[in-house]
């Protein structure tokens, strides 16, 4: 007979605190009655206050609950409110989910990836964003990034483009990519993000014209809600198609996978339900032989969460990260953590964190100080020459 273990009262969630911090992020701290705290990053860029309200509405259910019961809490937060899904709701759940996993890992002295079955890789390739106003500027920035050891870059593919537009805009986009390819050589990966700015008639033109430059992928060649156009785009070029930052659950991704025209899924760990949901999305993608490249132009907590899922997902091949990205004005990802060495960049890769929970040590005093300033970040409103609103 096995000895009957002594029953220990479960840990309880006691408090949720949110901090809106520059440049455009929101952090969440969940406290417990055993003094173990977890951190998450629930935010929608430009809608931080709305997500903050959603987090505190979910707080009513979570106070007093056992933080270890992550799957049950996720299910209640998603299903028990009757109305479900969407950017705000799923981002609130995402940050809470990250923090609960952080608590569980810290309590058990294990990294989250260990609790998810154990890592299948020690590191993952990362890409760096580049910017610039002219092709020569962008090319020089790309060379600088490559000189720092990155093996892949990403940039916006074009500015505003009407549903049917003039060919000079196509030529401008092609000139930029051609200049970059010449500057960095044939074997550095180039991801081109069309940011949903392009509609079906022009997307197939751009995909075909960019084909000679052997891109790593084209991202959001059309908006996710127009994804029926992907069939025609895929038939115009062999470049892998990436999509997913504006999809929020496995149900949103279901038809994308079954349609069969997307090669790389890009769920955002701070928008698509957190670690619990994105682990399932990754497994769904693997069953369809589709790659995983989590979206992450956010802060250190979001990046740490992404790396936990990357660690256990066979089909993960590259990770977005925001160090030095043009959005990060005033603060960058390393500012908010004490163990800055945790994101060890070398030879175009970043190491998988090995510390308990998310593996990062949030500098709470600095978070509190920067939250006094906060932010009201908004994306710009673009308009076409005729005055109509353009996709940003």
């Amino acid at each position: 007979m096995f000895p009957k273990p002594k029953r220990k009262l479960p840990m309880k969630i006691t408090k949720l605190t949110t901090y809106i911090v520059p440049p455009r992020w929101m952090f969440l701290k969940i406290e417990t009655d055993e003094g173990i705290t977890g951190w998450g990053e629930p935010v929608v860029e430009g809608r931080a206050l709305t997500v903050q309200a959603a987090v505190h509405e979910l707080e009513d259910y979570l106070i007093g609950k056992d933080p270890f019961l992550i799957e049950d809490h996720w299910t209640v937060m998603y299903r028990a409110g009757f109305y479900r899904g969407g950017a705000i709701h799923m981002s609130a759940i995402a940050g809470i989910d990250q923090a609960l996993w952080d608590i569980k890992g810290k309590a058990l002295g294990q990294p989250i990836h260990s609790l998810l079955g154990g890592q299948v890789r020690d590191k993952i390739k990362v890409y760096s964003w580049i910017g610039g106003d002219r092709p020569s500027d962008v090319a020089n920035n790309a060379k600088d990034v490559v000189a720092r050891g990155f093996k892949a870059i990403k940039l916006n593919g074009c500015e505003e483009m009407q549903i049917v537009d003039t060919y000079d805009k196509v030529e401008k986009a092609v000139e930029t990519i051609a200049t970059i390819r010449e500057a960095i050589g044939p074997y550095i990966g180039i991801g081109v993000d069309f940011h949903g700015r392009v509609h079906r008639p022009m997307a197939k033109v751009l995909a075909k014209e960019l084909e000679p430059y052997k891109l790593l992928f084209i991202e959001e060649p059309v908006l996710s809600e127009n994804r029926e156009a992907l069939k025609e785009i895929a038939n115009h070029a062999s470049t892998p198609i990436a999509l997913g930052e504006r999809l929020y659950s496995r149900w949103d991704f279901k038809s994308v996978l079954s349609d069969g025209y997307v090669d790389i899924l890009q769920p955002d760990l701070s928008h698509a339900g957190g670690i619990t949901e994105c682990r399932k999305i990754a497994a769904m993608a693997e069953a369809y032989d589709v790659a995983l490249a989590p979206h992450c132009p956010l802060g250190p907590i979001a990046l740490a969460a992404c790396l936990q899922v990357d660690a256990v997902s066979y089909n993960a091949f590259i990770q977005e990260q925001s160090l030095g990205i043009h959005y990060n004005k005033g603060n960058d990802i390393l500012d908010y953590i004490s163990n800055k060495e945790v994101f060890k960049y070398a030879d175009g890769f970043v190491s998988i964190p090995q510390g308990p929970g998310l593996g990062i040590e949030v500098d709470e005093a600095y978070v509190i100080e920067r939250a006094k300033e906060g932010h009201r970040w908004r994306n710009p409103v673009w308009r076409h020459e005729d005055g109509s609103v353009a996709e940003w």
Side-chain angles (χ1 to χ4, degrees), residues 157-158 161 167 169-171 173-174 177 190 192-194 198-222 229-242 261 263:
C158 63
M161 188 171 285
Y167 214 82
K169 291 191 177 181
V170 175
E171 290 176 343
V174 171
I177 302 304
I190 302 175
V192 176
D193 186 359
F194 289 111
V198 185
H199 297 268
R200 175 177 178 157
M202 302 306 296
K204 59 186 181 181
V205 174
L206 278 164
K208 183 177 180 180
E209 292 294 324
L210 290 171
E211 181 83 353
Y213 303 102
K214 298 179 174 59
L215 302 178
L216 187 64
F217 56 80
I218 52 174
E219 180 174 337
E220 278 198 322
V222 292
L230 295 175
K231 178 179 180 180
E232 193 168 359
I233 295 167
N235 287 334
H236 278 76
S238 61
T239 305
I241 294 173
Y261 301 111
D263 305 290

Side-chain angles (χ1 to χ4, degrees), residues 147-267:
R148 297 203 305 269
F150 286 93
K151 293 180 169 65
I153 62 172
K154 191 171 86 170
L155 72 156
N156 284 320
C158 63
E159 296 180 330
E160 65 268 31
M161 188 171 285
Q162 286 190 304
I163 188 166
V164 177
D165 216 321
T166 53
Y167 214 82
D168 62 313
K169 291 191 177 181
V170 175
E171 290 176 343
K172 182 179 178 182
V174 171
E175 180 190 3
T176 298
I177 302 304
T179 305
I180 291 172
R181 178 54 79 201
E182 183 179 358
I184 64 176
Y187 303 123
I188 298 296
I190 302 175
V192 176
D193 186 359
F194 289 111
H195 224 244
R197 295 170 181 171
V198 185
H199 297 268
R200 175 177 178 157
M202 302 306 296
K204 59 186 181 181
V205 174
L206 278 164
K208 183 177 180 180
E209 292 294 324
L210 290 171
E211 181 83 353
Y213 303 102
K214 298 179 174 59
L215 302 178
L216 187 64
F217 56 80
I218 52 174
E219 180 174 337
E220 278 198 322
V222 292
L223 290 165
S224 297
E225 56 261 38
N226 295 331
R227 58 183 176 266
E228 66 279 354
L230 295 175
K231 178 179 180 180
E232 193 168 359
I233 295 167
N235 287 334
H236 278 76
S238 61
T239 305
I241 294 173
L243 182 144
E245 69 187 68
R246 287 186 269 196
L247 300 175
Y248 309 111
S249 72
R250 73 198 92 147
W251 296 280
D252 288 348
F253 282 97
K254 183 166 62 171
S255 62
V256 172
L257 290 168
S258 62
D259 287 347
Y261 301 111
V262 173
D263 305 290
I264 303 163
L265 291 194
Q266 299 173 304

Side-chain angles (χ1 to χ4, degrees), residues 343-366:
F343 299 129
K344 184 181 177 183
Y345 294 90
D347 300 322
F349 289 81
V350 66
S351 298
I352 302 297
Q354 297 300 315
L358 288 168
I360 58 172
E361 298 169 9
V362 174
D363 185 343
E364 186 174 352
Y366 188 72

